Amino acid sequence: MWQVFRANLKGIFRDRVFLGILVAATIFPLIPSVSSLSMRQVTELSITLSFSLLTFILLLLAIFLGGTSLWKDIERRYTFSIAGLPLTRGQYLLGKFAAIAVFLLLVSLVLGLLLLMTVYVTSILHPPIRPVVWGNLVLAVLFHCLKYILLVSFTFLFSTVSTSFFLPIFGTIAVFFVGTASQQVFDFLQSPSGQKLPVLLQQIATGLYYIVPNFTAFDLNVNAIYALDVPLNGIGLTLLYFIVYLVIILSCASFLFARRELN
Amino acid sequence: MNVIEIENLSKTFRGKRRALVQALQSMSLTIDQGETFGFLGPNGAGKSTTIKIIMGLIRPTTGIARLMGMDASHSAARAKVGFLPENPAFYDFLTAEEYLRFVARIFGLSGKALNQQLERVLSLLDLQEARRRPIRGYSKGMVQRLGLAQALIHDPEVLILDEPMSGLDPVGRALVKQVLLELRSQGKTIFFSTHITSDVEVICDRVGVIVKGKMQAIERVEDVLLRQTSGYDIHVCHPRTGLHKTVFSEAKTLPEIIVSSRDEGFEVIKLEPRRQNLESFFLDIVKSNHE
Amino acid sequence: MKKLVLVGLVLLLYVSVVVPFTAYMQNKPFVEKLGYVPSAATLRTTSLDQQYLVSSTLIMKVLFYYGSLFEAQKNHIDIPPNYDGMVDVIETAVKLDPYNMDGYYFAQAILTWDNRRIERANALLEYGMKYRDWDFYLPFFAGFNAAYFLKDYPTAAKYYQRAADLTGYALFSKLAGRYMYEAGKTELAIVYLKTMLASTHDETIRQSFQLRLAALEETRRAEVARDLFIAEQGRHPKSLAELEQTGTLDFPLVDPYGGKFFLDETGQVRTTSKFSFAGAKKSRQ
Ligand SMILES: Nc1ncnc2c1ncn2[C@@H]1O[C@H](COP(=O)(O)OP(=O)(O)OP(=O)(O)O)[C@@H](O)[C@H]1O
Ligand SMILES: [Mg+2]
């Protein structure tokens, strides 16, 4: 598994993905000047924009790296040559997943540093009313990264049952939509107007809420932008949720992949 | 121990528009340790399908496939097996050296042993010059040789090769033939599929012929060749006129014909046993299956 | 050779298209329409985890729209601003990001003098106070609105107290009381505008505040001169011109909006522009 991880990480780097990210990251230096368009919250806007850039890059990476990873191996018939090795399908899958997960972590680290620098520059030029809480920024970057790692696990889950990259990519985009909206829908169901909906619909929606991932919990943007306190127990619970959910999805993916015919 | 055991194996593919393709039909085969087995069959006969089942890439519809005494789906079964897939493709962003190290490490090699094996297979398959170039830039034959190198890097007991000669030039073929003969003499078990009957003739102990998903014959190569020797071609030449002639004789009449040619003033230049070789054996089976 | 000609031809074609195209784009009337903005709930769902970006973008959109209107007004082009549209967009934006100060600030800037939708402004500020519970600006604005426009002094006092609590700055608690006197009105509007000015560097907004501030300072100057005249002469002046003639006003009053200052029947200083370019234009006609 370790070897599969290493080889795949190398592959991602050799595909010049990282270079592409660095090119995209050249937008960061523009953020301070764009942020000065804000009337009252220049630093806050620069944090908002930096996070938007970071999460956008991570989203693209998660969907395209994750969605094409297994598919590419099958399509280019690498699976045949891997099949001769004394590896279980699960080890192979996890190795590949780990490569992307670690790559996302690395990208988050680099982009996170750029983000901190950008925000620092802005906060020097336009000191905000409430001082920036740097710890919040770091936490928010980390949790965004975890969120996208969770999303990558879905691309793998879909890849194990699909022969093309359509399901992995579009399926994952759908999961992302549902996952970011699920909390909103759930809150609506709890509200008086939600209670007026047909009971069956309420039950189905509530059931779905527990099945689909909840990405809202990973969004600490507001805490980072407006220097609000981060609830520690919430963070802990979210971390646990991440681990448990990831284990479940990866187990399902491994189970399905072990039964997959590799033609 | 039986290295490969296939019992009553069938495989049905569900193709496009729900059409069913019977790729294998109740096939059985056992390969002993130390044996060299040639797997012959026309295109689409089911050779690769059989090999994929043995390597656990696909599951049989019915029947059992065992490798090293374990079910083929067990990854541990492959620990002492070297495998070359048909038209192989490897992580092409790596160099040959990196790929071989990757494979070797998965087989549990490390340190000095790994380096030794690496040098051995690189020189064995004439890949020393290209070792630091990405596989992306390799020619078809180079990839094929790398495929053999990665199958041999952990010095496996068993080799399962799907068309090891495909894509190779005559030099490469001779090289691979040499390598296989060498392995055979070391007592390794070799199972390979091919279209080339002459390779089977030279390398194999046993041959199996598969047509349309059914095993048609499993024979010792020696037996086939012996049974098929039908007579001799006698090449003669008249020293004065320079006239060349080839005369066919059955084994029984051979001495008489040589004597009578001499009497006519011819010199015998070459005596060739006309073996109706493996090729005709193979073609006969395929033909009879067509009718 | 042939290739060169071909390349040249294509280039020529491009130039001959791009020049009129650019000219067309430049001369297009600069009316940055606010356009259709979907509901907050829809936006929140479709913006995925970019709702803060979407919120900021919406506010920028309104700001640019306002900027173009302000330009037009300065050039005496009268385009009636779509205030309701602007505030709708801002309300959507702060639903996406209830902490977005730009939204509250901008709403406060346009809903007051320009538009006189004070209740709407204060409702929005109330909403913001629930989230930005550390920010004294929101109660400060709300207090100003309540006192200056609504003349609801108890409510204003409540807001100013809140602003004072948040800053520990006693000025705010005194402000409400001073509003009770008509005389204090101009002075305190000046304080308000100075606070607004100090906390932004957006050029459009600054310009609009500076204009108003200049006008208010002129008003104040007139009021001071008027009061001085009353004290010295024991009677009300007939007109502002009288103040100038007696030397109580040392140099003529200038309305930056282009209007003319005058004294109304009750003796209050007013201007024909009513603090807007449009008003000045109307009064001249
Ligand atoms: N994934 C698949 N779906 C449908 N049919 C398949 C699939 N794979 C193989 N087949 C069919 O199974 C049969 C056997 O194919 P196989 O690849 O085993 O032949 P082969 O003996 O290796 O041929 P070749 O000498 O050309 O390599 C063929 O008829 C092929 O069309
Ligand atoms: Mg084949």
Side-chain angles (χ1 to χ4, degrees):
Chain A
M1 189 182 123
W2 169 242
Q3 298 303 329
V4 177
F5 159 73
R6 261 182 46 167
N8 276 281
L9 193 58
K10 238 183 229 176
I12 297 171
F13 274 98
R14 296 220 173 139
D15 277 346
R16 307 218 171 81
V17 177
F18 201 74
L19 216 71
I21 291 163
L22 287 184
V23 170
T26 51
I27 298 175
F28 270 111
L30 300 178
I31 287 178
S33 52
V34 174
S35 303
S36 61
L37 286 177
S38 168
M39 295 168 283
R40 285 294 309 278
Q41 41 174 21
V42 177
T43 305
E44 285 89 338
L45 184 59
S46 83
I47 301 175
T48 307
L49 294 179
S50 301
F51 270 110
S52 286
L53 183 57
L54 178 124
T55 51
F56 186 64
I57 293 176
L58 285 183
L59 175 67
L60 287 185
L61 280 180
I63 287 179
F64 288 104
L65 280 184
T68 58
S69 177
L70 260 184
W71 169 77
K72 206 158 71 177
D73 274 23
I74 295 170
E75 187 70 15
R76 296 193 182 165
R77 308 177 342 106
Y78 296 151
T79 40
F80 288 151
S81 41
I82 303 293
L85 309 176
L87 282 173
T88 63
R89 300 261 180 102
Q91 286 170 326
Y92 167 69
L93 188 93
L94 290 183
K96 287 186 79 65
F97 176 77
I100 297 179
V102 168
F103 185 73
L104 284 190
L105 275 170
L106 284 175
V107 169
S108 303
L109 185 76
V110 172
L111 294 185
L113 283 176
L114 282 173
L115 177 142
L116 291 182
M117 269 153 56
T118 306
V119 173
Y120 181 74
V121 169
T122 324
S123 71
I124 293 295
L125 295 176
H126 304 274
I129 298 163
R130 271 161 79 87
V132 179
V133 180
W134 301 101
N136 282 6
L137 294 191
V138 174
L139 262 184
V141 172
L142 178 72
F143 272 80
H144 275 305
C145 182
L146 294 184
K147 175 173 69 184
Y148 290 111
I149 289 176
L150 197 56
L151 198 62
V152 172
S153 73
F154 275 94
T155 64
F156 273 69
L157 180 66
F158 290 134
S159 297
T160 56
V161 291
S162 158
T163 46
S164 75
F165 61 85
F166 280 102
L167 180 65
I169 287 186
F170 292 106
T172 308
I173 292 175
V175 165
F176 191 57
F177 262 95
V178 174
T180 23
S182 69
Q183 186 63 45
Q184 236 176 296
V185 173
F186 186 71
D187 292 344
F188 174 72
L189 286 178
Q190 304 298 312
S191 73
S193 44
Q195 300 287 331
K196 282 185 209 130
L197 290 175
V199 180
L200 185 67
L201 193 67
Q202 277 186 50
Q203 281 170 346
I204 291 172
T206 312
L208 272 175
Y209 171 76
Y210 289 108
I211 294 172
V212 299
N214 187 336
F215 290 127
T216 318
F218 293 88
D219 192 342
L220 299 179
N221 270 7
V222 76
N223 306 75
I225 301 171
Y226 298 106
L228 307 179
D229 287 338
V230 177
L232 277 183
N233 62 335
I235 290 292
L237 265 177
T238 307
L239 208 59
L240 273 180
Y241 175 81
F242 168 76
I243 294 168
V244 172
Y245 208 99
L246 190 68
V247 167
I248 292 173
I249 295 294
L250 288 180
S251 308
C252 288
S254 296
F255 178 84
L256 290 171
F257 192 52
R259 270 143 203 83
R260 165 102 185 240
E261 302 254 289
L262 291 174
N263 278 304
Chain B
M1 186 189 69
N2 289 329
V3 168
I4 297 172
E5 261 181 270
I6 292 174
E7 270 173 48
N8 215 0
L9 202 63
S10 302
K11 178 71 192 176
T12 308
F13 286 110
R14 197 174 293 275
K16 287 264 153 68
R17 280 178 241 106
R18 308 200 141 253
L20 296 181
V21 183
Q22 278 246 314
L24 291 179
Q25 291 172 47
S26 55
M27 201 180 79
S28 297
L29 175 68
T30 313
I31 309 282
D32 243 345
Q33 196 158 22
E35 212 180 344
T36 313
F37 189 91
F39 198 28
L40 273 177
N43 289 129
K47 303 181 294 292
S48 300
T49 304
T50 311
I51 291 177
K52 282 180 196 166
I53 292 175
I54 296 171
M55 294 312 295
L57 273 160
I58 54 181
R59 274 166 300 134
T61 311
T62 60
I64 303 169
R66 283 204 199 86
L67 179 61
M68 309 296 276
M70 285 175 253
D71 192 274
S73 60
H74 277 279
S75 60
R78 303 190 284 270
K80 286 182 181 164
V81 177
F83 170 54
L84 171 72
E86 184 179 30
N87 301 326
F90 306 104
Y91 280 153
D92 63 3
F93 47 84
L94 297 177
T95 66
E97 187 175 334
E98 283 169 332
Y99 192 78
L100 290 172
R101 282 182 188 280
F102 161 71
V103 171
R105 289 206 188 96
I106 290 179
F107 277 111
L109 289 178
S110 60
K112 223 169 134 191
L114 192 157
N115 284 332
Q116 266 173 9
Q117 290 293 345
L118 180 70
E119 297 306 322
R120 182 181 70 90
V121 293
L122 281 174
S123 27
L124 188 65
L125 289 148
D126 200 17
L127 285 166
Q128 283 287 8
E129 269 164 61
R131 64 191 287 177
R132 297 221 163 80
R133 276 197 277 140
I135 300 171
R136 190 166 288 163
Y138 279 19
S139 73
K140 195 174 172 208
M142 284 161 83
V143 174
Q144 187 73 13
R145 275 182 282 143
L146 173 63
L148 280 158
Q150 60 88 35
L152 293 172
I153 186 126
H154 57 301
D155 195 21
E157 290 304 311
V158 179
L159 280 156
I160 296 175
L161 314 171
D162 199 348
E163 298 188 25
M165 306 290 186
S166 93
L168 292 175
D169 61 11
V171 184
R173 269 174 201 219
L175 177 76
V176 171
K177 210 184 273 183
Q178 200 52 50
V179 169
L180 291 182
L181 285 170
E182 179 76 20
L183 289 165
R184 178 188 172 182
S185 71
Q186 288 167 14
K188 311 272 185 193
T189 312
I190 306 173
F191 177 89
F192 72 96
S193 77
T194 183
H195 300 126
I196 306 161
T197 51
S198 63
D199 290 341
V200 178
E201 247 176 64
V202 181
I203 303 166
C204 294
D205 302 323
R206 278 207 300 164
V207 60
V209 179
I210 182 173
V211 182
K212 291 183 183 163
K214 286 192 189 133
M215 193 63 105
Q216 303 292 343
I218 302 178
E219 297 253 14
R220 298 197 61 75
V221 174
E222 229 176 303
D223 293 348
V224 175
L225 293 181
L226 231 75
R227 191 172 60 227
Q228 305 269 326
T229 307
S230 53
Y232 296 88
D233 280 319
I234 309 157
H235 298 262
V236 293
C237 172
H238 204 280
R240 250 183 306 122
T241 57
L243 184 71
H244 269 274
K245 207 161 81 164
T246 307
V247 190
F248 176 73
S249 158
E250 290 188 4
K252 275 189 292 186
T253 56
L254 184 65
E256 293 157 38
I257 297 205
I258 291 178
V259 170
S260 67
S261 308
R262 273 239 188 95
D263 291 346
E264 287 167 35
F266 283 101
E267 278 178 19
V268 177
I269 342 170
K270 199 160 78 176
L271 193 62
E272 254 185 347
R274 189 194 276 185
R275 274 189 192 155
Q276 218 198 11
N277 52 16
L278 207 56
E279 186 171 356
S280 55
F281 167 73
F282 172 62
L283 288 177
D284 282 349
I285 291 176
V286 175
K287 212 183 287 167
S288 72
N289 222 273
H290 253 291
E291 282 152 9
Chain C
M1 190 55 213
K2 245 185 185 168
K3 264 187 209 162
L4 257 161
V5 170
L6 212 69
V7 170
L9 221 69
V10 170
L11 271 176
L12 204 77
L13 206 71
Y14 179 71
V15 171
S16 61
V17 171
V18 86
V19 170
F21 175 76
T22 315
Y24 160 73
M25 289 308 282
Q26 254 175 2
N27 295 332
K28 231 169 115 168
F30 186 65
V31 188
E32 228 168 2
K33 288 263 163 64
L34 279 167
Y36 167 73
V37 174
S39 78
T42 315
L43 274 178
R44 188 176 312 159
T45 312
T46 49
S47 63
L48 297 175
D49 54 357
Q50 303 286 7
Q51 56 173 305
Y52 302 101
L53 177 73
V54 173
S55 170
S56 300
T57 313
L58 287 179
I59 289 170
M60 285 301 146
K61 191 170 160 162
V62 178
L63 191 61
F64 287 144
Y65 170 73
Y66 182 74
S68 67
L69 287 183
F70 190 72
E71 277 308 305
Q73 271 183 18
K74 270 205 303 197
N75 299 325
H76 305 289
I77 302 166
D78 199 15
I79 304 168
N82 182 1
Y83 286 113
D84 280 328
M86 283 196 270
V87 180
D88 284 345
V89 175
I90 286 174
E91 276 177 357
T92 306
V94 295
K95 269 183 202 150
L96 290 179
D97 178 1
Y99 293 91
N100 198 322
M101 188 54 195
D102 280 348
Y104 302 116
Y105 185 82
F106 189 69
Q108 169 68 12
I110 61 167
L111 279 178
T112 49
W113 269 292
D114 293 340
N115 194 22
R116 306 269 169 174
R117 301 286 300 276
I118 310 303
E119 279 91 356
R120 195 170 183 185
N122 271 15
L124 200 60
L125 291 170
E126 274 283 355
Y127 171 78
M129 280 181 236
K130 278 191 288 192
Y131 296 94
R132 297 182 64 88
D133 53 11
W134 65 87
D135 193 341
F136 75 88
Y137 282 104
L138 299 176
F140 171 63
F141 295 162
F144 175 77
N145 293 346
Y148 189 90
F149 297 108
L150 300 177
K151 312 224 171 357
D152 176 356
Y153 301 115
T155 309
K158 202 181 73 201
Y159 284 132
Y160 276 121
Q161 191 52 50
R162 189 161 171 182
D165 290 346
L166 285 171
T167 52
Y169 190 30
L171 172 67
F172 292 125
S173 45
K174 284 189 207 146
L175 283 171
R178 286 209 234 165
Y179 266 116
M180 306 220 186
Y181 312 101
E182 183 67 16
K185 200 173 160 180
T186 310
E187 190 185 333
L188 292 163
I190 291 172
V191 172
Y192 162 79
L193 279 174
K194 281 185 172 162
T195 316
M196 287 290 265
L197 255 176
S199 52
T200 188
H201 58 268
D202 179 83
E203 261 321 303
T204 316
I205 293 283
R206 282 186 75 89
Q207 277 181 23
S208 91
F209 283 154
Q210 266 158 352
L211 265 171
R212 192 175 301 284
L213 185 59
L216 278 167
E217 273 169 343
E218 285 295 276
T219 311
R220 181 84 198 116
R221 201 156 64 82
E223 284 170 359
V224 168
R226 177 200 62 194
D227 294 349
L228 196 70
F229 183 90
I230 295 171
E232 281 172 359
Q233 312 274 329
R235 65 171 177 92
H236 283 267
K238 286 196 197 71
S239 65
L240 291 175
E242 191 178 352
L243 293 178
E244 256 178 73
Q245 282 154 18
T246 55
T248 328
L249 205 57
D250 31 19
F251 52 92
L253 293 162
V254 180
D255 180 356
Y257 291 102
K260 273 182 83 87
F261 282 102
F262 64 96
L263 283 173
D264 69 1
E265 318 80 64
T266 62
Q268 293 303 315
V269 180
R270 300 235 182 275
T271 164
T272 54
S273 72
K274 291 183 179 150
F275 290 3
S276 82
F277 289 114
K281 201 171 158 194
K282 230 176 267 163
S283 73
R284 274 198 300 275
Q285 280 160 3

